[in-house]
Every structure is written in structure tokens, then in C-alpha cells.
Amino acid sequence: MKNFLKNLIIILLVFLVISGIVMLFNTPAPQTPNITLSELATQINDGKVKDILVNGDGLDITLVDNAKEKSRKEADAALTDSFKNYGVDQTALRAVNINIKDTTSSAFWVNTIIPFLLPFIIIGAFLWYMMRSAQRGNNQALSFGMSRARLISPKKNGKKKITFADVAGAEEAKDELKEIVEFLKHPKKFLDLGARIPKGVLLLGSPGTGKTLIAKAVAGEANVPFFSISGSEFVEMFVGVGASRVRDLFKQAKKSAPAIVFIDEIDAVGRHRGAGLGGGHDEREQTLNQILVEMDGFDTDTNVIVIAATNRPDVLDPALLRPGRFDRRVVMDLPDIKEREAILKIHTKNMPIAKGVDLHKIAARTPGFSGADISNLVNEAAILAARRGKKVVDDDELRVSIEKVILGPERKSKILNVKEKEITAYHEAGHALIASNLKNADPVQKVSVISRGQAAGYTLNVPQEDKRLYTRAYFIDELAVFLGGYVSEKIFFGDVTTGASNDLERATDTARKLVTRYGMSNLGPRTFGRKEELVFLGKEMSEEKNYSEATAKEIDMEVSRFIGDAYKTAEKIITEKKETLERIAKTLLEKETLEQEEFNELLKG
């Protein structure tokens, strides 16, 4: 309806413009008095006529005083003969300038034919436009079920193609995928030995770990066409459209074989069937069924490999995960310190970096960062350097950008009053002092009372090396660090503020996990509760209570015991090292930020 109204308005505007042009050409001239031929003859004899323009049978007369008049001559008679008949003096006639206008075919077309044909031309143009719009609508309807995959051709991509050299780290993933590259390059070598070409590779990993990047690298290494599409692009409100797009996608890929089909976020269509409304006639499930058939259905001899990416393998349908469909599962982990340093080198390769910048130290400050986080970190550092008017990116920009990625930008407009700033300084000094006095806690890298994100201040604790396994002793010390700010406020000011709310929340969550998830409490090596994900009307997490009320009471008591012990540990350290904490807090009030070296000097006194 919107397109029809739009087309109608356009046609009306065109019609009004053409009508205006026609009216402009047909605008009547100003009224000129008409005289008879005898009156004209009298005026010529009196010497009042200067010019006469003969336009067919019409006469346009200009008098000596430049006045205009009109007259008509006899149709079949010459003008001079008419004047003779009316007794015009020949001497007076010679003084009059007589011009004859050439009446050609162009004037005939302008004055007669075009006004007659113009309505027919407008109606014909309107009909042609309507038929063209209808044909375009039919073409769109026919292409509605066509694949919307983006094709990256190796011939057109040229030097821009991505290879494994552009992917830092993930060595195990690259080793797995190098076999896929060999299959695509030299399939005969494997087929002669009776090996079956893998149908699909499932890339698993957290967001930002480089799943899409490494899929492009496989296509670049194999030098084959790369069809890229998102799982959500299959799903439409009309039943059968998604399945049609799947068929068309694989049809295109088979024509270009050997080729790679990359489906990003496959969990959008690959969720467990029967988990939602609609049963077997749900559009998403029909799309999934078609993917299953194309990957391992009746046609099993195609040289097309499907690479899919997801960060939710737990919700995928079992039929999608079985061998014969996704034969390989490649896990993309968060990078360790060496891999983070290699990623930093790739992203800073074309960036002017100041001499003396140690990328290893920057990598050490970014545990838990994904490849996308590191890319964002480098970009933020470059933006900050440009804003400061620098020509190179220095170590300071990189360090500030780490905090910006973790906590958010500085909130310079959020200025604390003198009392609040003092409380924040003692709060952060409490966290830092306890972390430095517990051997299992992460060492302090930076302490600041500058607001970032939602935090009035922050203490940056970074482990010396990457960890994948955490001990009970580590969690016990971390609980004391969480409560350091709360205890410091209570000891020095005799009251507590809302600034410790996030610390208490994290401490309570950690203590509950120690009891219910990790089996690190006095209740023994078992877990309590079972989490389930419901996908009936969207995502919803529920926890099944598989223990009694008496056990629930014991769990609460254990959580309280962990929190209470951590409180006592924090209180003891702060009481014994009260002077050191005051020294740290006062220095923070003065400098606002303490780096690791300055903080360690303050600890030494």
C-alpha cells in the first residue's frame, strides 16, 4: 500500500509539471484591438503605420507610436491587391515595412499536433510505469526464496584475502583446519586412500575469539569460493522460505565446488527441535531439516565443506552434531599471554608505536581478553593518541585503553566531593592492601580514585600468569580482597556506604559457588541444585532444587561462614597495617592514581 501511494504521488507530480509546461506555451497573449482592412488602409494613407507582419491571413500591425493592432486580409488575395482595392496610396505604402512570417511544419506541430498528442503520451507513460513496477514486484517475489549469502571469490579478493598468517595464536585450531585446506586443495590424495571428505566443521568459542576470522583464513589458504551467511538470514515469517534459501545456497556452492559455506551463529536455526512452539511445522525447524538433508542427505559426493560458528553448542540439535554432518569440532579458546602478545603485534603492525613500548607487559595486563577485545584496545589507544595530538601511540595510551575496555571511559563530569573522594581512597586502599598481603590473591597493578563506568574508583588486580584452574585457597583470599573496602570504611569512618554493594554481591556469589558448585565447603564433594535453560518463550534460566530444606539451611550457614572468615581476615590485616593503609589513601588523594611500582614503594614505607 505504501509503494502504491508513493507511485501515485510521483505520477500526479509529473502530470502537474507537464500540465504547467503546456499551459505556459499556450498562455494567451495580451488583448490587441482588431481593425478592419479599410481602417488599416486609411491609417496607411495618413502615415500612421510603421510595420506590418503577415502571419498567414493575419496581420500584426505596429503603428508609428508603437501601438499594436490586428487585422485580417482576404484569404485568397495578395495583400498588395487588397490595398489597391481599398485605394491605398502607393507612395504611403512604400513607407510601411511589410514582413511575411514563414509558417513551417514546426509551428504546426507546436500549435496543433502536440496539444492533441500530449494526453495520450501521458497516459501511455503512466501505463508503462505501472507495468514496470508490477514486473519488479514479481521479480522480488520470485527472488524471495533465493540465498542471500555473500560470496568472497578468490579471484576478486586478490591480495586482500585472509590467511593463517593473519590469525595469531589458536595453533591447535589451525592444525585441525589445515587438514580441511588439504582436502580442498588435493581431494584425490585422500580419496585414493578411502578417506571421506569431512562434511562440516563446528567452531566453538566465546564471542570475539576469532571464529569468523579463522573461517575466512581457511578459504584464503585453500583459495576457494567462500559463501558467508548468518543463521538468522534463513528465518522468515513465511514457512518454507528458509528451506528454499538453504537449497539455493547449497546449489550455488555445488556449482562453485570445491567451496566453503560459512554459517555464522548457527544456533539461530540449529536449536534443539521440539523445544518451542509450532512443533514440526515451525519455520526454523523446517530450515534446520533442510540443512540436515543438504549436509548428509541423498547427495553425498559433493566437495562442499560447511563451517559453522556458535558460542552455544549446548542448545544445538543432536542430529546436527552427529558424525557425517559436523565431523570436526574446533574449540576457539581465549588467548593466553603469548597469543595475546602475538595478536597485539598483528593489530599494531601498521600503527606508529613509540619506541620502548613493551607489548609483553600490555599482554600481561589483559588476562581474559579475546581477540576482539585486543583489537578494540589498540583502536582505542590510537584514537586517544590522535585526540592528544600525538604522532605515535605510547605506552600510556595502551594502559589507559585497557582500563577503558574493562571499566568504561573516565567520567570527568562525575566529580566527587571531598568527603566522598576520601572514602573512595580508603575503600580502594583497603582492597589493594589486603591483596598485597595474601599470597594467593592476584597482585595489584594499579589503584585509582578516578571514576570509570559505574565505579567511583577501582583496584586493578592482574594474575602473574594465565590460570585455568583455581584452588580453594585462591577463592578464600579473593573473598577477603572483596571485603577489604567494606572493612576499611567501617574501621576508619565508623560507617559503611553503598560503594561496597558490588563487592558484597561478588563475594556472596563466590561463596555460594564454593558451596553449591565446587564442593569446597564442609558439606563435602557434591553440588547442590541443577540449572536448566528453558526456551519455551525465549531464554529463561531456572534452577531445580534437588536438596531438602535442612540442606538449604546448611548451605546458607556455610556461605555465611565463608563471608565471616573473610571479614575477620580483612579486619585483622587492616588493623595491623593501619598506618600503611593511611599512607596509601593519602597518596591516592594527592595523585589520584598509583601504578604498581609506586604502590610497592608505599608498602615498603
Side-chain angles (χ1 to χ4, degrees):
M1 190 64 184
K2 280 186 177 180
N3 289 334
F4 175 76
L5 291 174
K6 182 180 177 181
N7 293 337
L8 185 61
I9 291 170
I10 292 172
I11 291 168
L12 288 174
L13 289 174
V14 171
F15 180 76
L16 290 173
V17 170
I18 294 174
S19 301
I21 294 171
V22 172
M23 291 176 66
L24 182 65
F25 279 106
N26 291 333
T27 301
Q31 292 293 326
T32 305
N34 288 315
I35 61 174
T36 62
L37 203 57
S38 61
E39 290 174 336
L40 176 59
T42 303
Q43 289 178 345
I44 292 172
N45 289 331
D46 293 340
K48 295 180 178 179
V49 178
K50 183 170 69 173
D51 292 321
I52 297 176
L53 177 63
V54 182
N55 186 5
D57 293 337
L59 302 176
D60 296 330
I61 305 161
T62 305
L63 301 179
V64 174
D65 59 358
N66 291 325
K68 302 290 184 181
E69 292 179 343
K70 281 189 176 183
S71 183
R72 293 190 68 83
K73 71 178 185 66
E74 298 176 9
D76 297 328
L79 182 61
T80 55
D81 294 339
S82 299
F83 284 154
K84 285 180 182 180
N85 295 333
Y86 282 94
V88 175
D89 185 18
Q90 293 298 316
T91 304
L93 184 60
R94 291 191 193 97
V96 178
N97 185 21
I98 300 176
N99 295 314
I100 300 174
K101 186 175 181 182
D102 184 19
T103 307
T104 60
S105 58
S106 59
F108 173 76
W109 276 95
V110 171
N111 296 325
T112 308
I113 303 299
I114 289 181
F116 175 75
L117 291 179
L118 193 59
F120 294 100
I121 295 172
I122 294 173
I123 292 171
F126 173 75
L127 292 175
W128 174 81
Y129 183 79
M130 294 298 290
M131 291 177 66
R132 184 169 173 268
S133 299
Q135 186 177 6
R136 187 168 62 243
N138 290 335
N139 292 336
Q140 290 177 351
L142 291 173
S143 64
F144 193 61
M146 305 292 284
S147 169
R148 299 185 179 180
R150 292 161 293 281
L151 172 62
I152 301 176
S153 175
K155 295 179 181 178
K156 294 181 180 179
N157 209 22
K159 296 181 180 179
K160 294 181 180 179
K161 69 179 181 180
I162 297 172
T163 61
F164 285 145
D166 300 306
V167 183
E171 295 301 327
E172 295 84 0
K174 285 195 279 190
D175 289 339
E176 281 286 322
L177 293 169
K178 282 177 183 175
E179 293 183 10
I180 303 298
V181 174
E182 284 295 315
F183 272 121
L184 290 167
K185 280 186 172 180
H186 311 291
K188 190 175 183 300
K189 180 173 69 173
F190 297 94
L191 294 174
D192 290 344
L193 293 173
R196 178 174 55 82
I197 295 176
K199 294 289 182 181
V201 178
L202 186 63
L203 302 177
L204 312 174
S206 303
T209 49
K211 299 184 289 294
T212 303
L213 181 66
I214 204 166
K216 289 181 180 178
V218 173
E221 290 284 342
N223 203 33
V224 297
F226 182 77
F227 294 87
S228 174
I229 193 169
S230 172
S232 60
E233 293 183 63
F234 290 118
V235 182
E236 290 284 354
M237 64 180 292
F238 303 107
V239 175
V241 173
S244 174
R245 288 178 180 173
V246 171
R247 286 192 295 270
D248 186 64
L249 170 61
F250 279 88
K251 182 180 177 181
Q252 293 180 34
K254 288 170 187 176
K255 287 181 180 179
S256 305
I260 291 176
V261 173
F262 176 63
I263 305 175
D264 197 10
E265 304 296 346
I266 195 173
D267 50 280
V269 291
R271 283 177 174 262
H272 199 295
R273 286 172 291 183
L277 295 174
H281 295 287
D282 181 46
E283 161 66 1
R284 180 185 55 77
E285 296 186 6
Q286 294 295 336
T287 305
L288 173 58
N289 291 338
Q290 189 62 43
I291 293 175
L292 298 177
V293 171
E294 292 289 346
M295 289 190 68
D296 190 21
F298 301 104
D299 188 6
T300 57
D301 298 327
T302 57
N303 195 8
V304 175
I305 294 179
V306 180
I307 300 179
T310 181
N311 51 21
R312 294 297 313 279
D314 53 307
V315 302
L316 295 180
D317 193 88
L320 196 63
L321 299 175
R322 73 161 178 82
R325 292 202 171 103
F326 283 106
D327 303 278
R328 303 284 179 91
R329 298 187 193 180
V330 177
V331 178
M332 300 290 293
D333 288 323
L334 291 172
D336 58 23
I337 185 169
K338 291 182 180 179
E339 292 171 338
R340 292 198 300 273
E341 185 178 355
I343 294 170
L344 278 168
K345 288 179 180 178
I346 285 179
H347 287 297
T348 56
K349 183 170 58 177
N350 299 320
M351 183 179 292
I353 298 293
K355 292 181 180 180
V357 173
D358 191 348
L359 293 180
H360 181 77
K361 288 184 178 180
I362 300 299
R365 280 202 172 200
T366 57
F369 273 41
S370 65
D373 292 328
I374 295 173
S375 174
N376 187 32
L377 155 68
V378 174
N379 185 56
E380 290 291 344
I383 292 172
L384 181 59
R387 200 162 61 235
R388 290 176 175 179
K390 292 186 175 181
K391 299 296 182 182
V392 294
V393 179
D394 208 341
D395 187 69
D396 183 57
E397 282 81 35
L398 290 167
R399 288 173 180 261
V400 171
S401 297
I402 292 173
E403 297 158 24
K404 185 175 182 180
V405 172
I406 296 174
L407 298 169
E410 286 187 13
R411 300 173 64 192
K412 295 182 180 179
S413 61
K414 185 71 175 180
I415 301 174
L416 301 176
N417 60 43
V418 176
K419 186 64 177 178
E420 287 179 340
K421 192 171 184 178
E422 185 183 10
I423 293 172
T424 302
Y426 277 89
H427 180 104
E428 299 303 331
H431 285 307
L433 180 65
I434 292 172
S436 63
N437 280 273
L438 296 174
K439 64 178 183 179
N440 295 303
D442 293 329
V444 176
Q445 294 285 340
K446 186 174 184 178
V447 189
S448 176
V449 291
I450 298 174
S451 296
R452 280 189 178 274
Q454 298 297 320
Y458 58 93
T459 301
L460 192 62
N461 302 73
V462 180
Q464 292 180 336
E465 57 185 16
D466 293 325
K467 295 180 181 179
R468 298 192 183 276
L469 298 175
Y470 297 89
T471 63
R472 182 178 183 273
Y474 171 80
F475 286 122
I476 296 296
D477 286 358
E478 279 297 297
L479 285 174
V481 175
F482 287 148
L483 295 176
Y486 179 88
V487 175
S488 178
E489 288 181 15
K490 195 168 185 180
I491 289 175
F492 283 93
F493 300 99
D495 200 357
V496 292
T497 67
T498 57
S501 60
N502 182 253
D503 299 329
L504 298 177
E505 183 179 347
R506 292 166 65 192
T508 304
D509 183 59
T510 301
R512 185 163 289 277
K513 284 181 178 178
L514 285 171
V515 179
T516 61
R517 291 283 171 267
Y518 307 144
M520 295 179 177
S521 70
N522 293 335
L523 296 181
R526 61 163 292 192
T527 62
F528 300 91
R530 184 172 59 198
K531 290 188 176 181
E532 293 181 349
E533 183 180 350
L534 303 177
V535 291
F536 182 62
L537 287 175
K539 180 180 176 182
E540 181 182 348
M541 295 297 295
S542 67
E543 183 171 351
E544 181 184 349
K545 192 176 180 180
N546 58 359
Y547 48 86
S548 65
E549 292 298 328
T551 304
K553 185 177 180 181
E554 292 182 12
I555 291 172
D556 290 339
M557 291 175 65
E558 281 293 293
V559 171
S560 298
R561 182 178 67 81
F562 276 123
I563 298 293
D565 291 347
Y567 183 91
K568 291 176 183 177
T569 301
E571 188 178 37
K572 180 182 177 183
I573 293 172
I574 290 175
T575 303
E576 292 176 354
K577 299 183 180 293
K578 197 171 183 180
E579 293 181 359
T580 304
L581 192 145
E582 286 183 339
R583 188 162 59 247
I584 296 169
K586 289 177 180 178
T587 309
L588 268 177
L589 287 171
E590 180 185 348
K591 294 186 174 182
E592 291 190 334
T593 298
L594 293 174
E595 290 290 345
Q596 186 177 24
E597 297 79 9
E598 296 173 292
F599 176 74
N600 290 337
E601 289 296 324
L602 289 172
L603 289 178
K604 294 176 184 177

